[in-house]
Coordinates of all heavy atoms in Angstrom, one line a residue:
G5 N -3.9 11.7 0.8 CA -4.4 12.9 0.2 C -5.8 12.8 -0.3 O -6.4 11.7 -0.3
G6 N -6.4 13.9 -0.6 CA -7.8 13.9 -1.0 C -8.0 13.3 -2.4 O -7.2 13.4 -3.3
V7 N -9.2 12.8 -2.6 CA -9.6 12.1 -3.9 C -9.6 13.2 -5.0 O -9.5 12.8 -6.2 CB -10.9 11.3 -3.8 CG1 -10.7 10.2 -2.9 CG2 -12.0 12.2 -3.4
S8 N -9.8 14.4 -4.7 CA -9.9 15.5 -5.8 C -8.5 15.8 -6.3 O -8.4 16.6 -7.3 CB -10.5 16.7 -5.2 OG -9.8 17.3 -4.1
G9 N -7.4 15.3 -5.7 CA -6.1 15.5 -6.2 C -5.6 16.9 -5.7 O -6.0 17.4 -4.7
M10 N -4.6 17.4 -6.4 CA -4.0 18.7 -6.1 C -3.3 18.7 -4.7 O -3.1 19.7 -4.1 CB -5.1 19.8 -6.1 CG -5.8 20.0 -7.4 SD -4.7 20.3 -8.8 CE -4.3 22.0 -8.5
N11 N -2.8 17.5 -4.3 CA -2.0 17.4 -3.1 C -0.5 17.6 -3.5 O -0.1 17.0 -4.4 CB -2.1 16.0 -2.5 CG -3.6 15.6 -2.2 OD1 -4.2 16.1 -1.2 ND2 -4.2 14.8 -3.1
V12 N 0.2 18.5 -2.8 CA 1.6 18.7 -3.0 C 2.4 17.5 -2.4 O 2.3 17.3 -1.2 CB 2.1 20.0 -2.5 CG1 3.6 20.2 -2.7 CG2 1.3 21.2 -3.1
V13 N 3.1 16.8 -3.3 CA 3.9 15.7 -2.9 C 5.4 15.9 -3.2 O 5.7 16.3 -4.4 CB 3.4 14.4 -3.5 CG1 4.2 13.2 -3.1 CG2 1.9 14.2 -3.2
T14 N 6.3 15.8 -2.3 CA 7.7 16.0 -2.5 C 8.4 14.7 -2.3 O 8.2 13.9 -1.4 CB 8.3 17.0 -1.5 OG1 7.6 18.3 -1.7 CG2 9.7 17.3 -1.7
F15 N 9.3 14.4 -3.3 CA 10.1 13.2 -3.2 C 11.6 13.6 -3.0 O 12.1 14.5 -3.8 CB 10.1 12.4 -4.6 CG 8.7 12.0 -5.0 CD1 7.9 12.8 -5.7 CD2 8.2 10.8 -4.5 CE1 6.6 12.4 -6.1 CE2 6.9 10.4 -4.9 CZ 6.1 11.2 -5.6
D16 N 12.2 13.0 -2.1 CA 13.7 13.2 -1.9 C 14.4 11.9 -2.4 O 13.9 10.8 -2.1 CB 14.0 13.4 -0.4 CG 13.5 14.7 0.1 OD1 13.6 15.7 -0.6 OD2 12.9 14.8 1.2
G17 N 15.4 12.1 -3.1 CA 16.1 11.0 -3.7 C 17.3 11.4 -4.4 O 17.9 12.4 -4.1
S18 N 17.7 10.7 -5.5 CA 18.8 11.1 -6.3 C 18.6 10.7 -7.7 O 17.9 9.8 -8.0 CB 20.1 10.5 -5.7 OG 20.0 9.1 -5.8
G19 N 19.3 11.4 -8.6 CA 19.3 11.1 -10.0 C 18.1 11.5 -10.8 O 17.8 11.0 -11.9
F20 N 17.3 12.4 -10.3 CA 16.1 12.9 -11.1 C 16.6 13.7 -12.3 O 17.4 14.6 -12.1 CB 15.2 13.8 -10.2 CG 14.6 13.1 -9.1 CD1 14.7 13.6 -7.8 CD2 13.9 11.9 -9.2 CE1 14.1 13.0 -6.7 CE2 13.3 11.3 -8.1 CZ 13.4 11.8 -6.9
L21 N 16.2 13.3 -13.5 CA 16.7 13.9 -14.7 C 15.5 14.5 -15.5 O 14.5 13.8 -15.7 CB 17.4 12.9 -15.6 CG 18.6 12.2 -15.0 CD1 19.1 11.1 -15.9 CD2 19.7 13.2 -14.7
P22 N 15.6 15.7 -16.0 CA 14.5 16.3 -16.8 C 14.5 15.8 -18.2 O 15.6 15.4 -18.7 CB 14.9 17.8 -16.8 CG 16.3 17.9 -16.5 CD 16.7 16.7 -15.7
P23 N 13.4 15.7 -18.9 CA 12.1 15.8 -18.2 C 11.7 14.6 -17.5 O 12.1 13.5 -17.9 CB 11.2 16.1 -19.4 CG 11.8 15.3 -20.6 CD 13.3 15.4 -20.3
V24 N 11.0 14.7 -16.4 CA 10.6 13.6 -15.6 C 9.1 13.5 -15.6 O 8.4 14.5 -15.6 CB 11.2 13.7 -14.1 CG1 10.6 14.9 -13.4 CG2 11.0 12.5 -13.3
S25 N 8.6 12.3 -15.5 CA 7.2 12.1 -15.4 C 6.9 11.3 -14.1 O 7.6 10.4 -13.7 CB 6.7 11.2 -16.6 OG 6.9 11.9 -17.8
V26 N 5.7 11.7 -13.5 CA 5.3 11.0 -12.2 C 3.9 10.5 -12.4 O 3.0 11.2 -13.0 CB 5.4 12.0 -11.0 CG1 5.0 11.3 -9.8 CG2 6.7 12.7 -10.9
Y27 N 3.6 9.3 -12.0 CA 2.3 8.7 -12.1 C 1.8 8.2 -10.8 O 2.6 7.5 -10.1 CB 2.4 7.5 -13.1 CG 2.8 7.9 -14.5 CD1 4.2 7.9 -14.8 CD2 1.9 8.4 -15.4 CE1 4.6 8.3 -16.1 CE2 2.4 8.8 -16.7 CZ 3.7 8.7 -17.0 OH 4.1 9.2 -18.2
F28 N 0.6 8.5 -10.5 CA -0.1 8.0 -9.3 C -1.2 7.0 -9.8 O -2.1 7.4 -10.4 CB -0.8 9.1 -8.5 CG 0.2 10.0 -7.8 CD1 1.1 10.8 -8.4 CD2 0.2 10.0 -6.4 CE1 1.9 11.7 -7.8 CE2 1.0 10.9 -5.7 CZ 1.9 11.7 -6.4
G29 N -1.0 5.7 -9.5 CA -2.0 4.7 -10.0 C -2.1 4.8 -11.5 O -3.2 4.5 -12.0
G30 N -1.0 5.1 -12.2 CA -1.1 5.1 -13.7 C -1.5 6.4 -14.2 O -1.5 6.6 -15.5
L31 N -1.9 7.4 -13.4 CA -2.4 8.7 -13.9 C -1.3 9.7 -13.7 O -0.6 9.8 -12.7 CB -3.6 9.2 -13.1 CG -4.9 8.2 -13.2 CD1 -6.0 8.7 -12.2 CD2 -5.4 8.2 -14.6
P32 N -1.1 10.6 -14.7 CA 0.0 11.5 -14.7 C -0.2 12.6 -13.7 O -1.3 13.2 -13.5 CB 0.1 12.1 -16.1 CG -1.3 11.9 -16.7 CD -1.8 10.6 -16.0
A33 N 0.9 13.0 -13.0 CA 0.9 14.1 -12.0 C 1.4 15.3 -12.7 O 2.1 15.2 -13.7 CB 1.7 13.7 -10.8
T34 N 1.2 16.5 -12.1 CA 1.8 17.7 -12.6 C 3.1 18.0 -11.8 O 3.1 18.2 -10.6 CB 0.8 18.9 -12.4 OG1 -0.4 18.6 -13.1 CG2 1.4 20.2 -12.9
V35 N 4.2 18.1 -12.5 CA 5.5 18.3 -11.9 C 5.6 19.9 -11.6 O 5.5 20.6 -12.6 CB 6.7 17.8 -12.7 CG1 8.0 18.2 -12.1 CG2 6.6 16.3 -12.9
L36 N 5.9 20.2 -10.4 CA 6.0 21.7 -10.0 C 7.5 22.1 -10.0 O 7.8 23.2 -10.5 CB 5.4 21.9 -8.6 CG 3.9 21.6 -8.5 CD1 3.5 21.8 -7.0 CD2 3.1 22.5 -9.4
S37 N 8.4 21.3 -9.5 CA 9.8 21.6 -9.5 C 10.6 20.4 -9.5 O 10.2 19.3 -9.1 CB 10.1 22.5 -8.2 OG 10.0 21.7 -7.1
L38 N 11.8 20.5 -10.1 CA 12.7 19.4 -10.2 C 14.1 19.8 -10.0 O 14.6 20.8 -10.6 CB 12.6 18.8 -11.7 CG 13.5 17.7 -12.1 CD1 13.3 16.5 -11.3 CD2 13.4 17.4 -13.6
E39 N 14.8 19.1 -9.1 CA 16.2 19.3 -8.8 C 16.8 17.9 -8.8 O 16.1 16.9 -8.8 CB 16.4 19.9 -7.4 CG 15.9 21.3 -7.4 CD 16.0 22.0 -6.0 OE1 16.9 21.5 -5.2 OE2 15.2 22.9 -5.7
V40 N 18.1 17.8 -8.9 CA 18.8 16.5 -8.9 C 18.3 15.6 -7.8 O 18.2 14.4 -7.9 CB 20.3 16.6 -9.0 CG1 21.0 15.3 -8.9 CG2 20.7 17.4 -10.2
N41 N 18.1 16.1 -6.6 CA 17.8 15.3 -5.4 C 16.4 15.5 -4.8 O 16.1 15.0 -3.8 CB 18.9 15.6 -4.3 CG 20.3 15.2 -4.7 OD1 20.4 14.1 -5.4 ND2 21.2 16.0 -4.4
Q42 N 15.6 16.3 -5.5 CA 14.2 16.5 -5.0 C 13.3 16.9 -6.2 O 13.6 17.6 -7.1 CB 14.2 17.7 -4.0 CG 12.9 17.8 -3.3 CD 13.0 18.8 -2.2 OE1 13.0 20.0 -2.4 NE2 13.0 18.4 -0.9
L43 N 12.1 16.3 -6.0 CA 11.0 16.5 -7.0 C 9.7 16.8 -6.3 O 9.4 16.1 -5.3 CB 10.9 15.1 -7.8 CG 9.7 14.9 -8.7 CD1 9.7 15.9 -9.9 CD2 9.7 13.5 -9.2
T44 N 9.0 17.8 -6.8 CA 7.7 18.2 -6.2 C 6.7 18.2 -7.3 O 6.9 18.7 -8.4 CB 7.8 19.5 -5.5 OG1 8.8 19.5 -4.5 CG2 6.5 19.9 -4.8
C45 N 5.5 17.6 -6.9 CA 4.4 17.5 -7.9 C 3.1 17.6 -7.2 O 3.0 17.6 -6.0 CB 4.5 16.2 -8.7 SG 4.2 14.7 -7.7
L46 N 2.0 17.8 -8.1 CA 0.6 17.7 -7.6 C 0.0 16.4 -8.0 O 0.1 16.0 -9.2 CB -0.2 18.9 -8.3 CG 0.1 20.3 -7.8 CD1 -0.7 21.3 -8.7 CD2 -0.2 20.5 -6.4
S47 N -0.6 15.7 -7.1 CA -1.2 14.5 -7.4 C -2.5 14.7 -8.2 O -3.2 15.7 -8.1 CB -1.6 13.7 -6.1 OG -2.6 14.5 -5.4
P48 N -2.8 13.7 -9.1 CA -4.0 13.8 -9.9 C -5.2 13.3 -9.1 O -5.0 12.6 -8.1 CB -3.7 12.9 -11.1 CG -2.8 11.8 -10.5 CD -1.9 12.6 -9.5
P49 N -6.4 13.7 -9.6 CA -7.6 13.1 -8.9 C -7.6 11.6 -9.1 O -7.1 11.1 -10.1 CB -8.7 13.7 -9.7 CG -8.2 14.9 -10.4 CD -6.7 14.6 -10.6
H50 N -8.1 10.9 -8.1 CA -8.2 9.4 -8.1 C -9.2 9.0 -7.2 O -9.5 9.6 -6.2 CB -6.8 8.9 -7.8 CG -6.6 7.4 -8.2 ND1 -7.2 6.4 -7.6 CD2 -5.9 6.9 -9.3 CE1 -6.8 5.3 -8.2 NE2 -6.1 5.6 -9.2
S51 N -9.8 7.8 -7.4 CA -10.7 7.2 -6.4 C -10.0 6.8 -5.2 O -8.8 6.7 -5.1 CB -11.4 6.0 -7.1 OG -10.5 5.1 -7.5
A52 N -10.7 6.7 -4.1 CA -10.2 6.3 -2.8 C -9.4 5.0 -2.8 O -9.8 4.1 -3.5 CB -11.3 6.3 -1.7
G53 N -8.3 4.9 -2.1 CA -7.5 3.7 -2.0 C -6.1 4.0 -2.1 O -5.6 5.1 -2.3
V54 N -5.3 2.9 -2.0 CA -3.8 3.1 -2.0 C -3.4 2.8 -3.5 O -3.8 1.8 -4.1 CB -3.1 2.1 -1.1 CG1 -1.6 2.1 -1.2 CG2 -3.5 2.4 0.4
V55 N -2.5 3.6 -4.0 CA -2.0 3.5 -5.4 C -0.5 3.5 -5.4 O 0.1 4.1 -4.5 CB -2.6 4.6 -6.3 CG1 -4.1 4.5 -6.4 CG2 -2.1 5.9 -5.9
G56 N 0.1 2.9 -6.4 CA 1.5 3.0 -6.6 C 1.9 4.3 -7.2 O 1.2 4.9 -7.9
I57 N 3.1 4.7 -6.9 CA 3.7 5.9 -7.5 C 4.9 5.5 -8.3 O 5.7 4.7 -7.9 CB 4.2 6.9 -6.4 CG1 3.0 7.4 -5.6 CG2 4.8 8.1 -7.1 CD1 3.4 8.3 -4.4
Q58 N 5.0 6.0 -9.5 CA 6.1 5.7 -10.4 C 6.7 7.0 -10.9 O 6.0 7.9 -11.4 CB 5.7 4.8 -11.6 CG 6.8 4.4 -12.4 CD 6.4 3.4 -13.5 OE1 5.3 3.6 -14.1 NE2 7.2 2.4 -13.8
V59 N 8.0 7.1 -10.8 CA 8.8 8.3 -11.3 C 9.6 7.8 -12.5 O 10.4 6.8 -12.3 CB 9.7 8.9 -10.2 CG1 10.5 10.1 -10.8 CG2 8.8 9.3 -9.0
V60 N 9.5 8.4 -13.6 CA 10.2 8.0 -14.8 C 11.1 9.1 -15.4 O 10.6 10.2 -15.7 CB 9.2 7.5 -16.0 CG1 10.0 7.1 -17.2 CG2 8.3 6.4 -15.5
N61 N 12.4 8.9 -15.4 CA 13.3 9.9 -16.0 C 13.3 9.9 -17.5 O 12.8 9.0 -18.1 CB 14.7 9.6 -15.5 CG 15.0 10.1 -14.1 OD1 14.5 11.1 -13.7 ND2 15.9 9.4 -13.4
A62 N 13.9 10.9 -18.0 CA 13.9 11.1 -19.5 C 14.7 9.9 -20.1 O 14.4 9.5 -21.3 CB 14.7 12.4 -19.9
D63 N 15.6 9.3 -19.4 CA 16.3 8.2 -20.0 C 15.6 6.8 -19.9 O 16.1 5.8 -20.2 CB 17.7 8.0 -19.3 CG 17.6 7.8 -17.8 OD1 16.5 7.7 -17.2 OD2 18.7 7.8 -17.1
G64 N 14.3 6.9 -19.4 CA 13.5 5.7 -19.3 C 13.6 4.9 -18.0 O 12.9 4.0 -17.8
V65 N 14.6 5.3 -17.2 CA 14.7 4.6 -15.9 C 13.6 5.1 -14.9 O 13.3 6.2 -14.8 CB 16.1 5.0 -15.3 CG1 16.3 4.4 -13.9 CG2 17.2 4.5 -16.2
S66 N 13.0 4.1 -14.3 CA 11.8 4.4 -13.5 C 12.0 3.8 -12.1 O 12.8 2.8 -11.9 CB 10.5 3.9 -14.1 OG 10.5 2.5 -14.1
S67 N 11.3 4.3 -11.1 CA 11.3 3.8 -9.8 C 10.4 2.6 -9.7 O 9.6 2.3 -10.6 CB 10.8 4.9 -8.8 OG 9.4 5.1 -9.1
D68 N 10.6 1.8 -8.7 CA 9.8 0.6 -8.4 C 8.5 1.1 -7.6 O 8.6 1.4 -6.5 CB 10.6 -0.4 -7.6 CG 9.8 -1.7 -7.4 OD1 8.6 -1.7 -7.8 OD2 10.4 -2.6 -6.9
D69 N 7.4 1.1 -8.3 CA 6.1 1.6 -7.6 C 5.6 0.6 -6.6 O 4.6 1.0 -5.9 CB 5.1 2.0 -8.7 CG 4.5 0.8 -9.4 OD1 5.0 -0.4 -9.2 OD2 3.5 1.0 -10.1
F70 N 6.2 -0.5 -6.4 CA 5.8 -1.4 -5.3 C 6.0 -0.8 -3.9 O 5.2 -1.0 -3.0 CB 6.5 -2.8 -5.4 CG 6.1 -3.8 -4.4 CD1 4.9 -4.4 -4.4 CD2 7.0 -4.0 -3.3 CE1 4.6 -5.3 -3.4 CE2 6.6 -4.9 -2.3 CZ 5.4 -5.6 -2.4
F71 N 7.1 -0.1 -3.8 CA 7.4 0.5 -2.5 C 6.9 1.9 -2.3 O 6.8 2.3 -1.2 CB 9.0 0.4 -2.3 CG 9.5 -1.0 -2.2 CD1 10.2 -1.5 -3.2 CD2 9.3 -1.8 -1.1 CE1 10.7 -2.8 -3.2 CE2 9.7 -3.1 -1.0 CZ 10.5 -3.6 -2.1
D72 N 6.7 2.6 -3.4 CA 6.3 4.0 -3.3 C 4.7 4.0 -3.5 O 4.2 3.7 -4.6 CB 6.9 4.9 -4.4 CG 8.4 4.9 -4.3 OD1 8.9 4.9 -3.1 OD2 9.1 4.8 -5.3
Q73 N 4.0 4.3 -2.4 CA 2.6 4.3 -2.4 C 2.0 5.6 -1.9 O 2.6 6.3 -1.1 CB 2.0 3.1 -1.6 CG 2.5 1.8 -2.2 CD 1.9 0.6 -1.5 OE1 1.6 0.7 -0.3 NE2 1.8 -0.5 -2.2
F74 N 0.8 5.9 -2.3 CA 0.0 7.1 -1.8 C -1.4 6.7 -1.6 O -2.0 5.9 -2.3 CB 0.1 8.1 -3.0 CG -0.5 9.4 -2.6 CD1 0.2 10.4 -1.9 CD2 -1.8 9.7 -3.0 CE1 -0.3 11.6 -1.6 CE2 -2.3 11.0 -2.7 CZ -1.6 11.9 -2.0
E75 N -2.0 7.2 -0.5 CA -3.3 6.8 -0.1 C -4.3 8.0 -0.4 O -4.1 9.1 0.2 CB -3.5 6.4 1.3 CG -4.9 5.9 1.6 CD -5.0 5.3 3.0 OE1 -4.0 5.4 3.8 OE2 -6.1 4.8 3.3
Y76 N -5.3 7.8 -1.2 CA -6.3 8.7 -1.5 C -7.5 8.5 -0.5 O -7.9 7.3 -0.3 CB -6.9 8.6 -2.9 CG -6.0 9.2 -4.0 CD1 -5.0 8.4 -4.6 CD2 -6.1 10.5 -4.3 CE1 -4.2 8.9 -5.6 CE2 -5.3 11.0 -5.3 CZ -4.3 10.2 -6.0 OH -3.6 10.8 -7.0
K77 N -8.0 9.5 0.1 CA -9.1 9.4 1.1 C -10.2 10.4 0.8 O -9.9 11.5 0.2 CB -8.6 9.7 2.5 CG -7.6 8.7 3.0 CD -7.1 9.0 4.4 CE -6.1 8.0 4.9 NZ -5.7 8.4 6.3
F78 N -11.4 10.1 1.2 CA -12.5 11.0 1.1 C -12.3 12.0 2.3 O -11.8 11.6 3.4 CB -13.8 10.4 1.3 CG -14.2 9.6 0.0 CD1 -14.2 8.2 0.0 CD2 -14.6 10.3 -1.1 CE1 -14.5 7.5 -1.1 CE2 -14.9 9.6 -2.3 CZ -14.9 8.2 -2.3
P79 N -12.7 13.3 2.2 CA -12.6 14.2 3.3 C -13.5 13.7 4.4 O -14.6 13.0 4.2 CB -13.1 15.5 2.7 CG -13.5 15.3 1.3 CD -13.3 13.9 1.0
S80 N -13.2 14.0 5.7 CA -14.0 13.6 6.8 C -14.5 14.9 7.5 O -13.7 15.8 7.6 CB -13.2 12.7 7.7 OG -12.1 13.3 8.2
V81 N -15.7 14.8 8.0 CA -16.2 15.9 8.8 C -16.0 15.6 10.3 O -16.5 14.6 10.8 CB -17.7 16.1 8.5 CG1 -18.3 17.2 9.3 CG2 -17.9 16.4 7.0
L82 N -15.4 16.6 11.0 CA -15.1 16.4 12.4 C -16.2 17.0 13.3 O -16.4 16.5 14.4 CB -13.7 16.9 12.7 CG -12.6 16.3 12.0 CD1 -11.3 17.0 12.4 CD2 -12.5 14.8 12.3
S83 N -16.8 18.0 12.8 CA -17.9 18.6 13.6 C -18.7 19.6 12.7 O -18.2 20.0 11.6 CB -17.3 19.4 14.8 OG -16.6 20.5 14.3
V84 N -19.9 19.8 13.1 CA -20.8 20.8 12.5 C -21.3 21.8 13.5 O -21.7 21.4 14.6 CB -22.0 20.0 11.8 CG1 -22.9 21.0 11.2 CG2 -21.5 19.0 10.8
W85 N -21.1 23.1 13.1 CA -21.6 24.1 14.0 C -22.8 24.7 13.5 O -23.0 25.0 12.4 CB -20.4 25.2 14.1 CG -20.7 26.2 15.1 CD1 -21.1 27.5 14.8 CD2 -20.6 26.2 16.5 NE1 -21.3 28.2 15.9 CE2 -21.0 27.4 17.0 CE3 -20.3 25.2 17.4 CZ2 -21.0 27.7 18.4 CZ3 -20.3 25.5 18.7 CH2 -20.6 26.8 19.2
P86 N -23.8 25.1 14.4 CA -25.2 25.2 14.2 C -25.6 24.8 12.9 O -26.2 24.7 12.1 CB -25.5 26.7 14.5 CG -24.3 27.3 15.1 CD -23.2 26.3 14.9

């Protein structure tokens, strides 16, 4: 996703409990929707590189961010017209 954030990211899984918090490289994301088996959020702005993602339920149970990763990239220009 882009370094400016605002990337829509959907997680499929199980046991998501409200309220839930999502972190990209330690920075909080904006949760858009939450169901027991699916969570959708907007990534926060971050510098380029690969970061861990952590999902924390209201009961304090969190995912292992070692396996859940997200790559921030700078936009690339493919062509320029006149």
Side-chain angles (χ1 to χ4, degrees):
V7 295
S8 61
M10 302 300 285
N11 303 285
V12 176
V13 180
T14 300
F15 300 92
D16 292 315
S18 62
F20 298 127
L21 301 172
V24 66
S25 299
V26 182
Y27 300 92
F28 286 68
L31 299 175
T34 301
V35 175
L36 298 175
S37 66
L38 173 64
E39 298 177 22
V40 174
N41 297 319
Q42 190 174 71
L43 167 65
T44 302
C45 66
L46 290 176
S47 64
H50 198 283
S51 57
V54 176
V55 299
I57 299 173
Q58 187 176 34
V59 178
V60 182
N61 278 330
D63 60 5
V65 175
S66 66
S67 65
D68 183 354
D69 67 354
F70 178 76
F71 295 107
D72 300 322
Q73 297 182 335
F74 185 83
E75 184 174 8
Y76 284 93
K77 296 180 181 181
F78 288 106
S80 58
V81 177
L82 301 176
S83 66
V84 177
W85 184 258

